[in-house]
Amino acid sequence: MDKKTLQVVPLGGLGEIGKNMTAVRQESGIILVDAGMAFPDEETPGIDLILPDFTYLREHQDELKGIVLTHGHEDHVGALPYLLREFNVPVYGTKLTLGLVRSKLQEFGIKRGDLREIKAGDTQNLGGFGLEFVHVNHSIPDAVAVAIRTNAGLIVFSGDYKIDLTPIDGRPTDLGHLAALGAEGVLAFFGDSTNAERPGYVPSEKTVEATFEKIFEKATGRIIVASFASHIHRISQVVEAAKKHDRLVGVAGRSMVRNVGIARELGYLDLPSSMIVEQRDMGRVPDRDIAILMTGSQGEPLAALSRIAAGTHRSIEVGPGDTVVIAAHPIPGNERGVARTINNLMQRGADVHYSPLEAVHVSGHGAQEEQKLVLALLKPKFLVPVHGEFRMLRHHASTAEAMGIPKENVFILENGGRMEFKDGKARRIDNVAAGMFLVDAGAIADTSEAIMRERQQLSGDGMFVVVARISAQDGKLLGPPDVISRGFVDPQASNGLVDESIATVTRTLERTARKRVTDRDELKKEIRKDLSGFLSQKTRKRPIVLPLVVEV
Amino acid sequence: MDKKTLQVVPLGGLGEIGKNMTAVRQESGIILVDAGMAFPDEETPGIDLILPDFTYLREHQDELKGIVLTHGHEDHVGALPYLLREFNVPVYGTKLTLGLVRSKLQEFGIKRGDLREIKAGDTQNLGGFGLEFVHVNHSIPDAVAVAIRTNAGLIVFSGDYKIDLTPIDGRPTDLGHLAALGAEGVLAFFGDSTNAERPGYVPSEKTVEATFEKIFEKATGRIIVASFASHIHRISQVVEAAKKHDRLVGVAGRSMVRNVGIARELGYLDLPSSMIVEQRDMGRVPDRDIAILMTGSQGEPLAALSRIAAGTHRSIEVGPGDTVVIAAHPIPGNERGVARTINNLMQRGADVHYSPLEAVHVSGHGAQEEQKLVLALLKPKFLVPVHGEFRMLRHHASTAEAMGIPKENVFILENGGRMEFKDGKARRIDNVAAGMFLVDAGAIADTSEAIMRERQQLSGDGMFVVVARISAQDGKLLGPPDVISRGFVDPQASNGLVDESIATVTRTLERTARKRVTDRDELKKEIRKDLSGFLSQKTRKRPIVLPLVVEV
């Protein structure tokens, strides 16, 4: 790789929402921008979480100089503990980002972890790259975009951003800084595409403040607000409303308690301990005098609000007179869980406020006009839309093309698609290994795909086990085989199923005995073939058939 | 039950979307309003479809006089074949409704089926009840509300409705008829609540026409439109646009082909055969000259559009120059499937139009202002909100209360909640059996709950089978046990798991042998206990553990 060449390899976050991670490589080394995780869906049943496939980093570990984090959300930092187990490199991030990372590493029992704090506006050399951090608004404080001076030119990663001119902390996205980078000349921009399908601007967080004020004004009983535990701005809006309306603040839910603690400690949340009610004391505070912050805005079955809605929370009960605010939008895939929570809470008589019926939430990702504004300021030569499903990347590209960026200067990549920049030119060179590392049972699972397929088959059609005792001498069947099923149809309910299955297996083994087949794998293969055929013809289901042949 | 008493028993459709079915009972007999099904979700893995629990009807079969259908959607007629297998009663519905039902019964091989056609405006006596049918707009033609004159007074079932003053077929909801019923005096109204959370009015189908016109005007290549196969109005909009723009019409997808056939035959769709292109000929028609109607608007994996998007359709391929319109909203739970379809189509270079980015679909259920209008016309004494999750029923109730219907005259029920009407009074009396009948492997499954739990456990944690050969005499273990797993973690990958499992089982059987335990169920219980404990401690997963003890 020659001195003037730059390579950029997105390892996650393209063609998907989540697990954002990009490798930036030149002769002097590799730096990683973000290290996110994604959550499992119906195609990854039983999985704890999903990491980007980082085979590429394993193959180039001696080149890896460090990791740069844009903000503290799981889809940007969640993979960090797994990376730091394999690569001992410094991690750069803002104060809040590192605060969240530190507690995450503790959970994972990772003592070491060379965390280096930076501030928006700072410059930092790392592995021959010149880093510069730009303050941006997002649904978590202390988020930054990252400008990187490379041997091939200046490139910019937006991180997650929106442009809120009246943000909670009074610090709008640093437009001037973006303009200065644009004046210097941006070779390539890697821009957040999450809301690229959405026209106009995302409303300011201030609009949520107004909704909270209305709700707090009206509420005569207890107020419960569920939000993302990382949404410190939203949380501080609740705290401020509580102050104004003379309510104490309760905090429930493991991650909410943790994040509120971190935010207070680091000065991102002005919540005096005199205002805080411990969970065990919440019952003793008059309903009119408390507002409770909690997790569960996504209907996660184990989160505080979901358990309260289901009536299974050990200390908090909801009923008539209580006001509940779900201050978040359901993430795609969570719609039903959120609906279940809302239905349960209403059935208990609570007054429930939720989006989109009320403005209790605004997105943390800029819409089309904000994306245009950033493109106008940075004036990048090349655009690589990142963070989003293909349709979002495609819309982001169209927006850029509408602003005069030539089609051939916009690159829609998939994970692993490697770009090369040199002499002001850009091209796709190849695809490196990319995809998913599944974390199952607490560890990175190796043979994941086969097991995912098994789980999907089991979940729909179940399992059918047959145990046959055969003679070690002649392979003859000794007595009728046993059949046991789980998750299949009820063999008793479906008439003759058990008997016919036994008959099928018996016929198979008579045939194999005649043919003098004694090899057990061969016998199992024959049993599986005949029995699967019988079962699917009889029930139209295809359970996993597990034949067990015991020689006696 | 005395002569002046009326009972109403909702057996489905309350606290949920789908499987709408309500029994209306008086001394003279029972009639059933609608007989719908629901689709399975993550809590009913592997299930074909869900029916209302109709134990109540089985218990009162000799009282059942007939079934009345409001329109031809699956959530109103899907349970019919299963009911007609058990109850030989007449079925009343409009021409299109019965046309769809007839083909459904044929699929199920049900020859008999006493289908009796009615028209909006007709009156009909059935089992001592006086039925009257009112034309309403919905996303399928020929939909009706049903007014029923009973011994206790006049009650009205809205069916699914909206008020479209500029509908495709020029026949708005019959407001005059509703007003006349209101003038006569309505005791109770059972009103559709699906869009009760939505303020304002649902836009007219006409708005979609305008969007189609724009899209057809602009398209230079092939046009593909995916919609609900039952949305005959939407389909005829596509046909009319095709006529206007000199395009032939192709039809793909089993249910689309069937419904287009029925609609043409019955005169609901003006599509001359000269305009129709058979699937085998579609390839031969120039792209500019064809518009193809198909299924797949919900991202159903096997539907035409999904297979085209995935590149697995046998005759149709999509690429640059093609225009695809997804003329439907994703039903909750289908969001990801629809997103996958859109992403795949865009990746193939198609120009994809979808909601909410463009007005390619409007809901078939009236919003709050339409619900108010109907309440104002009917002036019911009692309201029972139906068709919807609790939150929708609750919002419908609030709308009615805001219009002056006293709180105590609004009844939010759950499935099985039986109401009694007598002397102008209404009260809840009790709950009859209600819930789900799961159809699995083509038949109504009996022991469904246990099997659902097994499938859910299998899908997350898989299955772990251990085979132990023991001596018939002393119950001693003969050789090391075998362990096999499916859908669990990879035993090889997780070090020592297999050996430690075998050791665990060996210890268990040594212990039981010492205790002279020979009862096989007892042995299995002990093995399961010890092994489950070991596995969950080792992997944090709880697979179904299946111990098999073979006596030798």
Side-chain angles (χ1 to χ4, degrees), chain B residues 388-408:
Chain B
E389 300 171 14
F390 186 87
R391 63 193 205 173
M392 302 161 190
L393 305 179
R394 179 65 256 165
H395 276 87
H396 197 179
S398 307
T399 300
E401 285 155 22
M403 290 179 67
I405 296 183
K407 255 192 167 49
E408 62 275 17

Side-chain angles (χ1 to χ4, degrees), chain A residues 465-482 484 505 509 517-521 523-524 527 546-552, chain B residues 465-471 477-484 520 547-552:
Chain A
V465 181
V466 53
V467 192
R469 296 159 71 250
I470 63 167
S471 141
Q473 291 77 358
D474 56 12
K476 279 217 176 65
L477 184 63
L478 305 171
D482 291 332
I484 308 104
V505 175
L509 288 173
V517 182
T518 52
D519 174 61
R520 284 172 63 178
D521 293 337
L523 291 174
K524 290 179 183 173
I527 294 172
L546 188 63
L548 302 167
V549 177
V550 182
E551 285 182 351
V552 175
Chain B
V465 181
V466 53
V467 193
R469 297 160 68 247
I470 64 167
S471 140
L477 184 64
L478 305 170
D482 291 331
V483 297
I484 309 105
R520 285 172 61 176
L548 302 168
V549 177
V550 182
E551 285 181 354
V552 175

Side-chain angles (χ1 to χ4, degrees), chain B residues 181-220:
Chain B
L181 293 168
E184 177 181 342
V186 174
L187 176 67
F189 176 51
F190 299 79
D192 177 15
S193 310
T194 307
N195 264 336
E197 291 175 291
R198 183 169 166 180
Y201 285 90
V202 168
S204 169
E205 281 287 328
K206 274 271 187 295
T207 59
V208 176
E209 204 169 291
T211 313
F212 279 2
E213 175 54 28
K214 268 213 314 290
I215 293 169
F216 273 69
E217 185 62 43
K218 182 162 148 287
T220 56

Side-chain angles (χ1 to χ4, degrees), chain A residues 41-42 46 197 336 342-343 354 389 391 440-441 447 451 454-455 459 469 487-488 539 541 548 551, chain B residues 41-42 46 197 336 342-343 354 389 391 440-441 451 454-455 459 469 487-488 490 539 541 548 551:
Chain A
D41 62 17
E42 64 280 9
E197 292 175 290
R336 284 184 176 176
I342 293 168
N343 287 320
Y354 50 98
E389 299 170 14
R391 62 192 204 174
D440 193 14
T447 61
I451 288 177
E454 287 175 355
R455 286 182 190 169
S459 84
R469 296 159 71 250
F488 183 52
T539 66
K541 293 188 95 66
L548 302 167
E551 285 182 351
Chain B
D41 61 18
E42 63 280 8
E197 291 175 291
R336 284 185 174 176
I342 294 169
N343 288 318
Y354 51 99
E389 300 171 14
R391 63 193 205 173
D440 193 13
I451 288 175
E454 287 175 355
R455 287 182 190 170
S459 82
R469 297 160 68 247
F488 183 52
D490 176 10
T539 66
K541 292 187 98 63
L548 302 168
E551 285 181 354

